[in-house]
Amino acid sequence: MSRLYKGEHWQQVHTVVGAAARAGFEAELWVVSAGLGLQSTVASFPAYAATFSLGHEDSVASTGVDRRLWWKGLQERLGASTLVELGSRSSVLLVLSEVYGSALTAELRELGQVGGDVLLVGGSEDIPGVQRVRANGSLRKALGGTLTGLNARMAGSWLAHCEDGGLTSPTTTESWTRWVERSAHRETYNRTPMTDAEVKEFIRASAAKQHGISRTRLHRLLRESGRACEQKRFANLYSETMGER
């Protein structure tokens, strides 16, 4: 199943597994899938198209409530296990984006009631019983890569600070906190503003070259090219441009 996933985030996920092994954990990799539920990567499945990510042509739900209902139904029909089952037998390290964390809110709250050794990197909110490390863009320079893979890189760095075999022990938490204080660097950007016509031309040209590219990905490409367009404005111009095609 691990061969189904590509991109920087998933490349970094595999390095997290290696970091866990070096920290003394017997790591198993599980996937939170919008098409298959919670599955071990040793399982076999055909390719599929489903995501909770916003603005994507394969998005399966448009609101937080719909995503949570979708996840509940998936787990009941297809899920190989639950977070509670995983947490009842071992430490659990979760690396989740904000939107995926929101979709799993109910299951995360159940996991927090187990009282196990659980760390959430990213996510959408603090969960009682789950130690959370929020996504921190000021660590991108220290960890390298892009913001897409930041949460996974943070998880790998956290594991490198596990000094006494405990995922969320006070010693590990203190070591990580000291490193963050030394390494945080707030980045500033001097991007070039664009007119509406320039933004729309960028959207048309990029969409023609990369069929099916999402609005979110287009906006990221624009920003990475050193140009500026506020997110809400870009979304409106994207809708206008795609409606003209």
Side-chain angles (χ1 to χ4, degrees):
M1 185 173 179
S2 61
R3 289 180 292 178
L4 290 175
Y5 303 101
K6 308 296 180 182
E8 185 196 3
H9 172 76
W10 283 101
Q11 292 174 357
Q12 292 305 314
V13 163
H14 289 290
T15 69
V16 172
V17 175
R22 290 190 295 274
F25 298 97
E26 295 183 13
E28 296 179 5
L29 181 58
W30 289 70
V31 175
V32 173
S33 165
L36 302 168
L38 183 63
Q39 299 286 348
S40 168
T41 55
V42 300
S44 296
F45 291 95
Y48 69 95
T51 181
F52 288 131
S53 297
L54 303 175
H56 195 283
E57 62 179 355
D58 296 320
S59 296
V60 296
S62 58
T63 69
V65 172
D66 288 341
R67 286 189 289 273
R68 288 188 284 273
L69 289 173
W70 181 281
W71 178 255
K72 183 176 184 294
L74 268 182
Q75 283 289 78
E76 291 173 350
R77 295 193 304 274
L78 298 174
S81 189
T82 66
L83 294 180
V84 168
E85 290 169 358
L86 297 184
S88 65
R89 64 175 186 255
S90 65
S91 299
V92 175
L93 169 59
L94 294 153
V95 182
L96 298 174
S97 67
E98 181 177 355
V99 68
Y100 272 74
S102 175
L104 270 67
T105 297
E107 199 162 329
L108 286 168
R109 289 174 178 169
E110 292 176 1
L111 174 62
Q113 294 174 3
V114 173
D117 189 25
V118 182
L119 178 71
L120 168 61
V121 179
S124 63
E125 63 181 78
D126 294 339
I127 303 290
V130 174
Q131 183 163 330
R132 180 186 177 206
V133 178
R134 300 188 182 196
N136 187 344
S138 69
L139 296 177
R140 194 209 60 80
K141 183 175 181 179
L143 295 173
T146 69
L147 291 176
T148 301
L150 178 62
N151 285 357
R153 291 176 186 273
M154 287 176 59
S157 178
W158 178 282
L159 287 165
H161 288 81
C162 288
E163 300 179 355
D164 56 2
L167 184 61
T168 59
S169 70
T171 301
T172 297
T173 301
E174 183 179 352
S175 177
W176 162 263
T177 301
R178 289 198 305 267
W179 177 81
V180 169
E181 291 173 350
R182 297 193 305 269
S183 305
H185 173 78
R186 187 168 297 279
E187 296 178 296
T188 57
Y189 301 95
N190 186 24
R191 297 189 175 99
T192 303
M194 302 174 70
T195 65
D196 286 359
E198 290 172 334
V199 174
K200 295 174 81 169
E201 178 56 32
F202 170 85
I203 292 170
R204 278 191 290 267
S206 300
K209 292 178 182 177
Q210 303 182 58
H211 179 69
I213 188 170
S214 70
R215 186 194 74 205
T216 303
R217 177 60 180 156
L218 274 176
H219 190 216
R220 186 180 302 123
L221 288 175
L222 183 144
R223 292 167 63 86
E224 290 176 352
S225 71
R227 289 170 285 184
C229 181
E230 187 268 331
Q231 187 173 13
K232 184 176 180 180
R233 176 176 166 238
F234 185 87
N236 292 334
L237 293 172
Y238 175 87
S239 297
E240 292 177 13
T241 304
M242 301 307 285
E244 294 168 357
R245 298 179 71 194

